[in-house]
Amino acid sequence: MKFNPNLAQIKVYEGGKPIELVIREYGIKPEDIVKLASNENPFGVSKKVENALQKAAKNVYMYPDDSMLALKDALSKKYQIKNENLIIGAGSDQVIFFAVNAKSHPKMKILTAKTTFAMYDIYAKQVGATILKTPSHQHILSEFLEIYEANKDIDIIFLCLPNNPLGECLKREDVYQFLEKIGSNTLVVIDGAYQDFASAKDDAMHIEPSDLINRFQNALYLGTFSKSYALGGLRVGYGIAQKEIMDTLYKMRPPFNVTSLSLEGALAALEDKDFLSKSIENNFKEMKKYESFARENKIDFINSFTNFITLLFSDDMSSKECAQILLKKGIIIRDLTSYGVNGIRVTIGTPAQNDRFLEEFKKLL
Ligand SMILES: *Cc1c(COP(=O)(O)O)cnc(C)c1O
């Protein structure tokens, strides 16, 4: 059968290994599994969210409120924007899909860092776009600028701030200076999936969406409930931009793209500020354990502004093998070999999970 020829070059995306597969393949008891592979919140779901979901369950026979008014109002208040500046997606993933398709044309070009969130590539390949990448793995704005200047007609630039899977971030002032040099036809996507973590660690990294879109009409900010808010399973994310961009993104949106449970869960999560601050506090406190461990054992790591830490191995150690050995012990982390990096990305877990990982990892050194 003939298919869309653009799809021939796409490899089916494999996320962090699902717990169910590890249980089945290695016969490990579910309670012995430590999953630090998908940047999920180690505290599980907040009690307030759980209650809201239970209450909402009786209404799932009805279609969701497709205006999403309650969640939009809450997000608009949080960010001091108007509802017309917002679009809500089934994860911010879906908003990336909308953006790529909204800008797509036969000669489309996108620009990203060499090692960054895999979905930018996948959606761009689906529409046959040319994908340009900076030579360095991490975000270096001068490299972005050089490629941009050499190809003025770039349709979308993706800045993942902070970056998944490496963890580095850029200062707001540097990002704004960069944006000043980018023409109005280039959509600049600022993926803020981990901004809550970055802002808590260093205010110089903080990007305020209202400020961003008021200064730059061509910017699209992305946020998600999957990481700091612990709602990965509900699939809720959002985009924030000027109305002109929004009006086009809405043409891409399928009706009822966000479930009623997801809308209610996200609303409750926004209100549970204690859960959020506890999560962020635990994250950076526990991250120190990893940093000290790495220093003591002479392992390179990237200064992380996220809820994970990326450890970089020297040539005498293979991240692929390391991930395999840990997996057989029920510890799931993300090997970065497929990104061209000999290293692993480890989500910061609960104190017990981190201790278990570090204990098993030490045996491999
Ligand atoms: C997790 C993540 C997202 C989006 O996740 P959703 O669950 O689709 O909201 C977007 N960008 C980055 C960099 C991420 O790590």
Side-chain angles (χ1 to χ4, degrees):
M1 194 183 284
K2 282 186 186 152
F3 290 106
N4 173 349
N6 296 328
L7 302 185
Q9 42 163 346
I10 297 179
K11 262 179 56 188
V12 175
Y13 179 77
E14 266 188 64
K17 194 153 180 117
I19 287 180
E20 289 71 22
L21 283 181
V22 181
I23 295 172
R24 204 176 303 166
E25 276 177 40
Y26 302 106
I28 295 165
K29 286 193 252 127
E31 60 270 27
D32 289 339
I33 289 182
V34 174
K35 186 182 179 216
L36 301 175
S38 298
N39 306 337
E40 291 148 339
N41 189 313
F43 293 116
V45 62
S46 110
K47 209 67 218 151
K48 286 191 177 143
V49 170
E50 212 178 312
N51 292 340
L53 292 177
Q54 248 155 23
K55 244 176 84 188
K58 66 176 186 303
N59 290 326
V60 294
Y61 71 98
M62 288 191 290
Y63 278 101
D65 166 17
D66 208 32
S67 74
M68 307 188 200
L69 213 55
L71 183 57
K72 277 189 191 163
D73 285 346
L75 283 168
S76 292
K77 195 166 153 231
K78 171 179 160 77
Y79 287 122
Q80 298 290 298
I81 52 171
K82 294 194 185 124
N83 286 11
E84 67 183 25
N85 300 121
L86 255 176
I87 190 164
I88 300 176
S92 56
D93 243 32
Q94 192 179 36
V95 184
I96 300 170
F97 175 84
F98 296 162
V100 170
N101 281 272
K103 285 289 280 177
S104 128
H105 60 93
K107 297 213 164 125
M108 185 182 191
K109 286 182 195 165
I110 72 150
L111 171 58
T112 76
K114 181 171 176 185
T115 297
T116 189
F117 191 49
M119 298 315 296
Y120 310 148
D121 260 44
I122 294 174
Y123 292 133
K125 281 181 183 157
Q126 287 174 356
V127 299
T130 298
I131 299 162
L132 304 166
K133 292 184 181 253
T134 60
S136 299
H137 286 286
Q138 300 185 31
H139 286 67
I140 306 221
L141 288 172
S142 57
E143 292 183 2
F144 276 87
L145 201 57
E146 200 169 310
I147 297 171
Y148 169 79
E149 301 267 324
N151 305 262
K152 280 275 186 201
D153 54 347
I154 286 177
D155 296 285
I156 308 184
I157 298 174
F158 285 98
L159 298 178
C160 189
L161 303 175
N163 187 21
N164 177 12
L166 299 180
E168 90 278 8
C169 200
L170 296 174
K171 291 205 173 88
R172 171 182 61 250
E173 284 312 318
D174 295 340
V175 175
Y176 282 3
Q177 271 184 24
F178 171 77
L179 280 163
E180 300 280 2
K181 300 180 184 118
I182 304 301
S184 60
N185 188 41
T186 300
L187 179 70
V188 181
V189 176
I190 307 283
D191 187 339
Y194 303 91
Q195 267 285 323
D196 288 336
F197 295 102
S199 311
K201 180 165 177 169
D202 183 352
D203 188 59
M205 308 292 169
H206 173 68
I207 290 178
E208 188 59 42
S210 57
D211 192 29
L212 174 76
I213 68 168
N214 288 333
R215 283 179 66 166
F216 304 102
Q217 313 286 308
N218 58 333
L220 169 64
Y221 180 92
L222 301 179
T224 178
F225 285 92
S226 297
K227 311 290 162 51
S228 53
Y229 286 99
L231 295 186
L234 286 186
R235 317 299 306 118
V236 201
Y238 48 91
I240 297 174
Q242 287 299 344
K243 186 168 183 296
E244 186 203 355
I245 295 176
M246 277 305 142
D247 287 348
T248 306
L249 295 189
Y250 269 93
K251 295 182 184 175
M252 293 302 312
R253 187 187 73 93
F256 309 116
N257 61 320
V258 182
T259 73
S260 49
L261 287 181
S262 307
L263 293 169
E264 291 297 332
L267 196 57
L270 270 184
E271 285 164 7
D272 196 350
K273 299 203 168 76
D274 288 345
F275 180 86
L276 181 70
S277 50
K278 184 182 127 199
S279 304
I280 293 173
E281 200 177 304
N282 170 76
N283 183 67
F284 288 113
K285 189 166 159 226
E286 287 295 303
M287 195 180 288
K288 290 206 171 73
K289 278 189 195 166
Y290 284 83
E291 292 171 350
S292 326
F293 178 94
R295 283 195 195 96
E296 279 161 27
N297 293 283
K298 308 238 176 325
I299 296 168
D300 264 352
F301 65 90
I302 297 171
N303 185 22
S304 171
F305 292 85
T306 63
N307 64 345
F308 57 82
I309 187 161
T310 294
L311 305 174
L312 301 169
F313 297 171
S314 51
D315 291 341
D316 56 353
M317 194 162 144
S318 147
S319 61
K320 197 170 180 172
E321 278 173 31
C322 165
Q324 273 300 323
I325 297 170
L326 290 170
L327 193 59
K328 286 181 189 156
K329 296 180 174 177
I331 297 172
I332 320 173
I333 46 94
R334 191 80 161 96
D335 168 35
L336 300 181
T337 303
S338 66
Y339 290 93
V341 175
N342 183 27
I344 56 172
R345 186 193 71 190
V346 189
T347 304
I348 309 297
T350 60
Q353 290 175 323
N354 300 326
D355 294 345
R356 169 99 194 281
F357 165 81
L358 291 171
E359 184 191 322
E360 293 294 346
F361 183 54
K362 190 161 174 71
K363 293 179 193 163
L364 305 182
L365 300 177

mmCIF file of all heavy atoms in Angstrom, residues 22 25 53 85 95 98 124 131-132 209 243 250 307:
data_model
loop_
_atom_site.group_PDB
_atom_site.id
_atom_site.type_symbol
_atom_site.label_atom_id
_atom_site.label_comp_id
_atom_site.label_asym_id
_atom_site.label_seq_id
_atom_site.Cartn_x
_atom_site.Cartn_y
_atom_site.Cartn_z
ATOM 1 N N VAL A 22 8.263 -4.022 31.781
ATOM 2 C CA VAL A 22 9.366 -4.478 32.628
ATOM 3 C C VAL A 22 8.884 -5.618 33.522
ATOM 4 O O VAL A 22 9.584 -6.618 33.723
ATOM 5 C CB VAL A 22 9.917 -3.312 33.482
ATOM 6 C CG1 VAL A 22 11.074 -3.775 34.353
ATOM 7 C CG2 VAL A 22 10.365 -2.174 32.584
ATOM 8 N N GLU A 25 8.603 -8.653 31.090
ATOM 9 C CA GLU A 25 9.843 -9.169 30.509
ATOM 10 C C GLU A 25 10.809 -9.725 31.542
ATOM 11 O O GLU A 25 11.508 -10.690 31.292
ATOM 12 C CB GLU A 25 10.561 -8.074 29.721
ATOM 13 C CG GLU A 25 10.047 -7.938 28.304
ATOM 14 C CD GLU A 25 10.725 -6.799 27.565
ATOM 15 O OE1 GLU A 25 11.949 -6.606 27.717
ATOM 16 O OE2 GLU A 25 10.011 -6.078 26.832
ATOM 17 N N LEU A 53 -11.453 14.503 40.255
ATOM 18 C CA LEU A 53 -11.684 13.513 39.199
ATOM 19 C C LEU A 53 -12.840 12.587 39.580
ATOM 20 O O LEU A 53 -13.670 12.235 38.745
ATOM 21 C CB LEU A 53 -10.417 12.695 38.936
ATOM 22 C CG LEU A 53 -9.260 13.470 38.302
ATOM 23 C CD1 LEU A 53 -8.041 12.574 38.154
ATOM 24 C CD2 LEU A 53 -9.666 14.040 36.942
ATOM 25 N N ASN A 85 -5.946 34.500 23.922
ATOM 26 C CA ASN A 85 -4.513 34.203 23.748
ATOM 27 C C ASN A 85 -4.163 32.763 24.082
ATOM 28 O O ASN A 85 -2.987 32.406 24.137
ATOM 29 C CB ASN A 85 -3.656 35.123 24.637
ATOM 30 C CG ASN A 85 -3.849 36.584 24.321
ATOM 31 O OD1 ASN A 85 -4.237 37.365 25.174
ATOM 32 N ND2 ASN A 85 -3.613 36.945 23.078
ATOM 33 N N VAL A 95 -0.355 20.829 20.861
ATOM 34 C CA VAL A 95 -0.215 22.216 20.404
ATOM 35 C C VAL A 95 0.992 22.333 19.457
ATOM 36 O O VAL A 95 0.972 23.109 18.500
ATOM 37 C CB VAL A 95 -0.106 23.191 21.606
ATOM 38 C CG1 VAL A 95 -0.068 24.631 21.117
ATOM 39 C CG2 VAL A 95 -1.272 22.989 22.579
ATOM 40 N N PHE A 98 -0.346 21.255 16.209
ATOM 41 C CA PHE A 98 -1.132 22.334 15.585
ATOM 42 C C PHE A 98 -0.202 23.366 14.944
ATOM 43 O O PHE A 98 -0.425 23.812 13.814
ATOM 44 C CB PHE A 98 -1.984 23.074 16.622
ATOM 45 C CG PHE A 98 -3.064 22.260 17.299
ATOM 46 C CD1 PHE A 98 -3.625 22.720 18.497
ATOM 47 C CD2 PHE A 98 -3.534 21.075 16.752
ATOM 48 C CE1 PHE A 98 -4.624 21.994 19.129
ATOM 49 C CE2 PHE A 98 -4.532 20.349 17.388
ATOM 50 C CZ PHE A 98 -5.079 20.814 18.586
ATOM 51 N N ALA A 124 7.473 17.666 12.346
ATOM 52 C CA ALA A 124 8.015 18.345 11.166
ATOM 53 C C ALA A 124 8.223 17.348 10.021
ATOM 54 O O ALA A 124 7.947 17.654 8.856
ATOM 55 C CB ALA A 124 9.322 19.046 11.523
ATOM 56 N N ILE A 131 14.623 19.814 8.354
ATOM 57 C CA ILE A 131 14.934 20.083 9.754
ATOM 58 C C ILE A 131 16.388 20.503 9.877
ATOM 59 O O ILE A 131 17.296 19.748 9.527
ATOM 60 C CB ILE A 131 14.641 18.837 10.613
ATOM 61 C CG1 ILE A 131 13.155 18.495 10.491
ATOM 62 C CG2 ILE A 131 15.034 19.066 12.066
ATOM 63 C CD1 ILE A 131 12.800 17.097 10.914
ATOM 64 N N LEU A 132 16.596 21.730 10.345
ATOM 65 C CA LEU A 132 17.956 22.231 10.555
ATOM 66 C C LEU A 132 18.249 22.171 12.046
ATOM 67 O O LEU A 132 17.367 22.456 12.862
ATOM 68 C CB LEU A 132 18.066 23.672 10.051
ATOM 69 C CG LEU A 132 17.674 23.874 8.582
ATOM 70 C CD1 LEU A 132 17.491 25.346 8.272
ATOM 71 C CD2 LEU A 132 18.718 23.265 7.659
ATOM 72 N N PRO A 209 4.836 34.422 30.069
ATOM 73 C CA PRO A 209 4.191 34.385 28.749
ATOM 74 C C PRO A 209 3.585 35.719 28.303
ATOM 75 O O PRO A 209 3.725 36.093 27.136
ATOM 76 C CB PRO A 209 3.103 33.330 28.917
ATOM 77 C CG PRO A 209 3.544 32.475 30.046
ATOM 78 C CD PRO A 209 4.383 33.329 30.943
ATOM 79 N N LYS A 243 -3.499 36.821 19.269
ATOM 80 C CA LYS A 243 -4.735 36.316 18.698
ATOM 81 C C LYS A 243 -4.558 35.846 17.245
ATOM 82 O O LYS A 243 -5.141 34.849 16.839
ATOM 83 C CB LYS A 243 -5.801 37.410 18.784
ATOM 84 C CG LYS A 243 -7.175 36.964 18.365
ATOM 85 C CD LYS A 243 -8.222 37.978 18.742
ATOM 86 C CE LYS A 243 -9.621 37.497 18.376
ATOM 87 N NZ LYS A 243 -9.829 37.319 16.940
ATOM 88 N N TYR A 250 -6.507 27.388 16.051
ATOM 89 C CA TYR A 250 -7.843 26.824 16.301
ATOM 90 C C TYR A 250 -8.409 26.089 15.079
ATOM 91 O O TYR A 250 -9.239 25.200 15.221
ATOM 92 C CB TYR A 250 -8.815 27.912 16.781
ATOM 93 C CG TYR A 250 -8.810 28.004 18.298
ATOM 94 C CD1 TYR A 250 -7.977 28.896 18.959
ATOM 95 C CD2 TYR A 250 -9.603 27.154 19.067
ATOM 96 C CE1 TYR A 250 -7.932 28.957 20.344
ATOM 97 C CE2 TYR A 250 -9.570 27.201 20.455
ATOM 98 C CZ TYR A 250 -8.734 28.102 21.080
ATOM 99 O OH TYR A 250 -8.691 28.138 22.444
ATOM 100 N N ASN A 307 13.208 18.673 36.211
ATOM 101 C CA ASN A 307 13.005 17.628 37.224
ATOM 102 C C ASN A 307 13.744 16.341 36.847
ATOM 103 O O ASN A 307 13.320 15.252 37.191
ATOM 104 C CB ASN A 307 11.511 17.349 37.440
ATOM 105 C CG ASN A 307 10.841 16.793 36.205
ATOM 106 O OD1 ASN A 307 11.384 16.855 35.107
ATOM 107 N ND2 ASN A 307 9.655 16.232 36.370
#
